[in-house]
Amino acid sequence: MLIGFPGVMLGIAPLLASAWWTKISDRLLAISGFGSLAALGVILVLSWYGIRPVFRFIERSFWALHALAVQPVYAFVREALSQVAEAFLDEHAAEQERSRRRAPMAILAGILSSSLAGAIVFIIWPATQWSATWETFAAPSQLILPALANAVTIVGIYLMASSLAWGMSDAMMDQPVKVHQFAAPDATSRQWRIAHLSDLHIVGERFGYRIESGRSGPRGNDRLDEIFRRLDALHCDMPLD
């Protein structure tokens, strides 16, 4: 459900757009002169308000597939290559040497991920279908496979471009290194106590779901409440700024 349903929604979008445009084009061709322009204006205004919810739904489907199938592929390849590259180093090797090896591995991960996506697109392309009429939707079961092929192609093309961009970006930025020693603070300098909370993954809607909170909705946020109670206790002992 997490992959198949968003895939069908994303893959069927080009077919819906094609069928809609074909129908509108035929209607406009039947109207001549100023009437066709006025009809086109009305259609565009109505479609702006009517298609926006559909577009948002398709957009959410795309980002769902992005989170499930695109980012993990690149991240897995990058981290696997980094582990292989660092495995040949002595355990006492300098951290700078380990960090230096991560940059070329990021570029290689981008190239490999992009090549993998390109190969998948090449294989799947013959099964894709990018145009349709409303009559085509009379047999929706026959559109499932083309829709899935379309989704794989769209996500694959996106992975081809994004993995190259991520690989270059990861390689050009400073690589993470372990901090073995912090600078000692000056006794006369102002010191701050800060509590940093991130990636809380709390649930707001009544039947909302997160892996951390289960299906209890806001009632599943007990861990966050516990964190706040703990922070209150810490604040009473040593105030937080």
Side-chain angles (χ1 to χ4, degrees), residues 20-237:
W20 178 81
W21 181 248
T22 300
K23 191 71 171 180
I24 294 303
S25 300
D26 293 342
R27 292 292 180 88
L28 289 177
L29 289 176
I31 306 174
S32 59
F34 179 77
S36 62
L37 294 177
L40 179 60
V42 172
I43 290 170
L44 291 177
V45 171
L46 293 176
S47 64
W48 172 257
Y49 291 99
I51 293 179
R52 286 175 70 180
V54 178
F55 174 78
R56 293 300 182 194
F57 186 74
I58 294 170
E59 183 186 37
R60 286 194 298 270
S61 297
F62 173 80
W63 288 116
L65 294 173
H66 164 85
L68 286 166
V70 175
Q71 277 186 325
V73 168
Y74 168 75
F76 174 80
V77 174
R78 182 194 63 193
E79 294 306 310
L81 291 175
S82 294
Q83 292 292 327
V84 171
E86 296 177 35
F88 293 99
L89 288 174
D90 183 79
E91 61 178 344
H92 301 295
E95 184 66 22
Q96 287 74 16
E97 176 61 22
R98 295 183 183 276
S99 177
R100 188 182 65 81
R101 295 196 177 197
R102 294 187 185 118
M105 292 303 102
I107 295 179
L108 183 57
I111 295 174
L112 289 178
S113 301
S114 182
S115 301
L116 174 64
I120 293 174
V121 170
F122 179 79
I123 295 172
I124 293 295
W125 184 263
T128 60
Q129 178 180 341
W130 302 101
S131 61
T133 61
W134 289 120
E135 289 74 17
T136 308
F137 291 90
S141 60
Q142 298 180 8
L143 293 176
I144 293 178
L145 288 181
L148 290 175
N150 291 352
V152 171
T153 301
I154 294 171
V155 174
I157 292 174
Y158 173 70
L159 176 58
M160 289 172 60
S162 60
S163 58
L164 290 176
W166 290 337
M168 292 297 297
S169 177
D170 286 344
M172 289 165 42
M173 69 174 61
D174 293 336
Q175 299 301 310
V177 294
K178 293 179 181 177
V179 180
H180 298 285
Q181 184 176 2
F182 291 92
D186 185 357
T188 60
S189 63
R190 175 74 166 93
Q191 296 185 25
W192 295 80
R193 282 174 53 80
I194 299 174
H196 180 120
L197 307 181
S198 65
D199 294 304
L200 299 178
H201 291 184
I202 59 176
V203 177
E205 59 271 25
R206 183 179 179 185
F207 297 106
Y209 171 74
R210 295 295 305 213
I211 293 176
E212 299 86 346
S213 304
R215 298 186 181 275
S216 300
R219 294 175 296 168
N221 298 328
D222 295 338
R223 291 182 180 178
L224 181 64
D225 297 333
E226 182 180 345
I227 288 173
F228 285 138
R229 287 192 294 270
R230 180 62 178 151
L231 285 177
D232 286 339
L234 290 172
H235 182 68
C236 292
D237 184 41

